[in-house]
Amino acid sequence: MNEAPRPQFEDVADVVRHQLSRRSVMGGGAAALATFLAACSGGGGSYSDKPAGNKPAATKSIQIGKANIPVPRDQSVIVGQVEYTVFDSFNGMIPNGSPGGAGVELATEPLFFLSFATGKLTPWLATEYKYNDDHTELTLKFDPKAHWNDGQPLGANDFKFTVMLLKDRPDLFGGGGELKEFVKSVEVPDAHTAVVKLLKPTPRLHYNFIAAIAGAPVNLMPEHIWKSQDPTKFKDNPPVRSGPYKLKQAIRNQKMFVWEKDPNYWNKDKLDVKPQYAIFQSMSKQGDQASLAFERVEFDVGSIDAQHAKQLANSGYPNLLTTQFHDPNPRVLWLNCDPVRGVMAEEKMRWAINYCLDRDKIGKSVWQVEVPAAVYPWADYPTNDKWKNDELANKYKFEYSLEKATALLDEVCPKNSAGKRTYKGKEVNLEIITPAQVDKDEYAIANVLKTDLAKVGVPCTLRSLSGSVHDEKFQRGEYDIDSSWAGFAIDPEQLYTDWESTDAQPVGKNAAGKNKMRFRDPAFDEISKKLAGMDPDSEEAKPLLAQALEIYFQKLPLLPVIQTGYPQFFNTAFWTDWPTDDNLYEVPLNWWPHFTFVLAKIKATGQKGPA
């Protein structure tokens, strides 16, 4: 029973946990809360590790090259992106059905936008949602103004068509899953109202329609287009969407997509993008050539990596702007706690590994840009600060100390007469795996740890495994340490629910995305189950959150290593007012739909391209 009013919109943290789990980044479903978290909003944010303001003076003049585009340069934003292979299909529900990061994100709109840069959730295609008291019914209201870019109205019937199609189609991306588990039917009392009847209570079904991390897990499809199509074969070309841009042309031989501002865009009073054209083009695979293209302003966004950007800045190039944005996924080490893995089951062993982890060195020298060490198992967004507990963090202080590691190791796996560390009669030799290639950061993180573990007498084997091979070993628990990443809840219970003992499969059996560390702790289980029915902001939840966090620090089933900063590079020759470290007014990532808000904020400089 819910007597307290339910806030209309919730915290960034809760939604990202849900959407990360939908993408199988960390696995697991949502534990129902009795009430929703309060909304968190504000102005542009910034990160404490933003670059120091000591860049070289801008002394270098620029030579603008001729961008090879079919539209006026001064009316266009040009984005350097990945290698495209699909040019004639925009069906995102099937493998290779749509080119990722090609600009279709600027045409695709969710029911709600949730911004990590500001912490603000903005109603978009939908104006509101509401659950009944026992969370067995969800009502959504749609904006009467909304329409598709072919002029047809967008509303509740499209929602019903999409949900009912996907709920029984796990073969389609976005299908099956929670839609199948929770949705019984969808009623449409009028063109702008959809009522979802649920098979069982859930307070978070609407999260599936919120764009938080990149796009929403489920995007609406126009019923009038798709109802007569086979969703496994339809190319959806040109894509009928509702956003401020629509496809003008896809040019295969130039690996280019040209999107043009839709003069009939339905929500122009709230979102008026400034460039007439948004162009997404594959950049050169050669770093020097891609960097030169950026230097000659043949691209406004991207087309340059951190190494070349640093060289360009050091040369005094005046138009380079670097903006950091932290990924939702800190880099972590998953520690296998199952007794089958021998000494790894000992919490003192896991703390010894923690003492061998030189986070400062890794943050300064391994990642592509300098990033801070991670202490808590979640991203360091400002909206997460309320879940920190500095008293506990200081009590269980993370520090690099081979001396403390050695002392713990001497307790749990002392050296034998041959100088080898042993545990229950067997020599200790740990297996570290990673999905990263040997020249990538996650491999380098593991290699730093491997080197320091060797210094304290713990030999390790480090293996870079291909995606499918890695996932099989990881899910089956056939590893000691895994160097990868994790998308953790900012509402801690949304993290803890996947660590409960009931989800700990035996080594050799697929974990199906849950409790991949095989962590087991009855006291932790009890706390987690209690938290699952509470508003995490409530007074009654605070002591339980502290107890759960303390067990985490004591047991260390995984080790957060570093926050992961992804620098975004903008050229200010043709356009200014990009997001900056000091004014992070929106997520600066060009492959997220939130980038439309950036394109509504920037201003043309008046610079003309060469004839």
Side-chain angles (χ1 to χ4, degrees):
M1 180 177 179
N2 275 333
E3 296 181 355
R6 293 188 297 273
Q8 178 66 45
F9 305 120
E10 55 287 297
D11 194 11
V12 175
D14 224 4
V15 176
V16 67
R17 198 278 331 149
H18 183 88
Q19 292 197 0
L20 283 169
S21 73
R22 288 279 294 174
R23 290 167 170 79
S24 299
V25 177
M26 63 172 285
L33 296 182
T35 58
F36 291 119
L37 300 176
C40 178
S41 61
S46 63
Y47 288 117
S48 59
D49 59 308
K50 63 187 179 185
N54 58 352
K55 67 179 183 179
T59 57
K60 186 176 182 178
S61 61
I62 65 171
Q63 300 295 322
I64 298 178
K66 182 174 175 60
N68 188 21
I69 60 174
V71 291
R73 177 66 180 95
D74 60 321
Q75 298 177 35
S76 307
V77 159
I78 309 176
V79 179
Q81 256 289 355
V82 296
E83 185 78 6
Y84 300 125
T85 58
V86 178
F87 294 89
D88 62 348
S89 177
F90 296 89
N91 180 354
M93 295 187 295
I94 57 175
N96 299 314
S98 183
V104 70
E105 297 81 7
L106 304 185
T108 305
E109 296 183 311
L111 272 61
F112 305 91
F113 278 102
L114 184 53
S115 173
F116 281 135
T118 65
K120 182 179 180 181
L121 191 144
T122 303
W124 209 251
L125 294 178
T127 59
E128 64 175 295
Y129 68 85
K130 183 179 181 181
Y131 286 91
N132 62 353
D133 289 338
D134 62 0
H135 298 102
T136 58
E137 188 175 288
L138 167 65
T139 300
L140 290 154
K141 295 285 188 178
F142 288 85
D143 195 316
K145 302 191 309 295
H147 62 74
W148 301 102
N149 60 22
D150 64 358
Q152 293 296 310
L154 182 160
N157 286 306
D158 298 297
F159 176 85
K160 176 181 179 178
F161 171 79
T162 302
V163 170
M164 296 308 290
L165 171 66
L166 290 176
K167 86 180 194 72
D168 294 321
R169 294 293 299 268
D171 59 315
L172 300 177
F173 295 150
E178 291 184 354
L179 296 183
K180 182 176 181 62
E181 180 181 357
F182 291 105
V183 175
K184 178 180 180 181
S185 63
V186 180
E187 296 179 357
V188 180
D190 61 65
H192 311 302
T193 306
V195 181
V196 185
K197 304 290 185 177
L198 301 174
L199 292 167
K200 55 183 178 181
T202 177
R204 289 191 172 88
L205 188 75
H206 66 291
Y207 285 9
N208 291 285
F209 310 102
I210 299 175
I213 298 174
V218 176
N219 288 303
L220 299 196
M221 296 178 290
E223 181 185 19
H224 68 283
I225 298 291
W226 284 83
K227 64 182 178 181
S228 60
Q229 302 293 337
D230 180 346
T232 66
K233 297 178 180 178
F234 185 46
K235 290 185 178 295
D236 191 24
N237 183 26
V240 175
R241 300 288 191 275
S242 64
Y245 286 98
K246 59 191 304 183
L247 184 67
K248 178 178 174 64
Q249 59 186 132
I251 310 174
R252 183 183 294 270
N253 64 354
Q254 293 181 239
K255 298 182 179 180
M256 178 187 296
F257 295 86
V258 181
W259 301 85
E260 186 173 14
K261 187 173 178 179
D262 184 354
N264 299 314
Y265 175 54
W266 70 275
N267 213 11
K268 189 175 180 180
D269 58 333
K270 292 183 179 178
L271 178 65
D272 185 14
V273 291
K274 300 305 186 292
Q276 181 67 23
Y277 304 98
I279 298 174
F280 288 72
Q281 184 174 20
S282 296
M283 60 187 180
S284 173
K285 294 182 179 179
Q286 302 299 319
D288 290 344
Q289 188 174 340
S291 176
L292 180 61
F294 183 91
E295 183 178 353
R296 290 169 56 84
V297 208
E298 295 167 17
F299 291 92
D300 300 291
V301 182
S303 173
I304 190 170
D305 58 25
Q307 177 184 354
H308 285 89
K310 184 176 181 180
Q311 294 171 0
L312 196 59
N314 288 339
S315 74
Y317 186 77
N319 295 103
L320 171 66
L321 175 65
T322 301
T323 303
Q324 288 210 49
F325 184 74
H326 281 187
D327 192 79
N329 305 315
R331 267 41 190 177
V332 304
L333 298 173
W334 300 78
L335 305 184
N336 196 333
C337 306
D338 198 285
V340 171
R341 303 304 297 190
V343 72
M344 290 296 298
E346 300 284 347
E347 63 186 72
K348 288 185 178 180
M349 180 65 189
R350 300 196 291 271
W351 261 99
I353 295 170
N354 194 37
Y355 283 130
C356 290
L357 192 55
D358 193 343
R359 290 176 171 85
D360 288 338
K361 176 181 178 179
I362 292 169
K364 291 177 180 178
S365 63
V366 168
W367 201 251
Q368 56 183 297
V369 292
E370 185 172 334
V371 291
V375 176
Y376 300 95
W378 51 69
D380 63 345
Y381 296 125
T383 48
N384 294 349
D385 287 346
K386 62 183 176 181
W387 307 118
K388 293 164 57 176
N389 188 318
D390 292 337
E391 182 179 351
L392 287 176
N394 290 327
K395 180 179 178 180
Y396 299 94
K397 188 174 180 60
F398 286 3
E399 58 180 308
Y400 175 63
S401 173
L402 298 184
E403 293 78 12
K404 290 185 176 182
T406 299
L408 290 175
L409 292 168
D410 288 344
E411 289 184 46
V412 296
C413 52
K415 292 181 179 180
N416 61 15
S417 58
K420 305 291 186 180
R421 293 199 177 276
T422 63
Y423 179 75
K424 295 184 178 180
K426 295 182 178 180
E427 290 186 6
V428 172
N429 192 319
L430 303 183
E431 181 179 12
I432 308 176
I433 65 172
T434 179
Q437 299 175 2
V438 295
D439 60 343
K440 299 301 182 183
D441 299 338
E442 294 81 11
Y443 186 95
I445 290 171
N447 206 34
V448 170
L449 176 66
K450 175 187 173 183
T451 299
D452 282 325
L453 282 171
K455 293 176 183 177
V456 294
V458 178
C460 300
T461 300
L462 172 57
R463 293 188 175 91
S464 169
L465 304 176
S466 66
S468 60
V469 175
H470 169 268
D471 189 60
E472 182 176 0
K473 288 183 70 70
F474 189 31
Q475 297 288 349
R476 291 166 62 90
E478 295 169 349
Y479 71 96
D480 293 310
I481 302 172
D482 181 274
S483 177
S484 54
W485 48 84
F488 292 118
I490 315 169
D491 165 7
E493 169 52 22
Q494 306 313 300
L495 170 68
Y496 300 154
T497 186
D498 283 340
W499 294 2
E500 293 177 15
S501 303
T502 52
D503 290 322
Q505 300 291 344
V507 168
K509 185 175 180 180
N510 194 312
K514 293 189 177 185
N515 202 347
K516 297 183 285 287
M517 319 87 79
R518 273 70 181 173
F519 177 61
R520 298 173 177 88
D521 188 282
F524 185 88
D525 296 343
E526 183 179 351
I527 294 168
S528 176
K529 292 182 186 303
K530 291 179 180 178
L531 284 170
M534 294 182 182
D535 179 349
D537 285 321
S538 67
E539 287 300 316
E540 61 178 344
K542 289 182 179 179
L544 293 175
L545 287 167
Q547 291 170 34
L549 186 61
E550 181 156 26
I551 293 174
Y552 161 74
F553 278 130
Q554 290 170 345
K555 308 289 185 177
L556 288 184
L558 63 79
L559 304 178
V561 183
I562 54 172
Q563 300 294 336
T564 44
Y566 284 99
Q568 300 302 302
F569 304 109
F570 302 105
N571 199 304
T572 60
F574 284 91
W575 302 93
T576 61
D577 288 2
W578 299 102
T580 66
D581 290 316
D582 291 318
N583 183 22
L584 196 65
Y585 59 81
E586 188 49 87
V587 174
L589 309 179
N590 64 77
W591 58 95
W592 289 29
H594 306 67
F595 198 65
T596 55
F597 294 100
V598 174
L599 297 183
K601 183 80 170 178
I602 60 174
K603 298 176 182 177
T605 64
Q607 174 70 53
K608 299 293 182 180

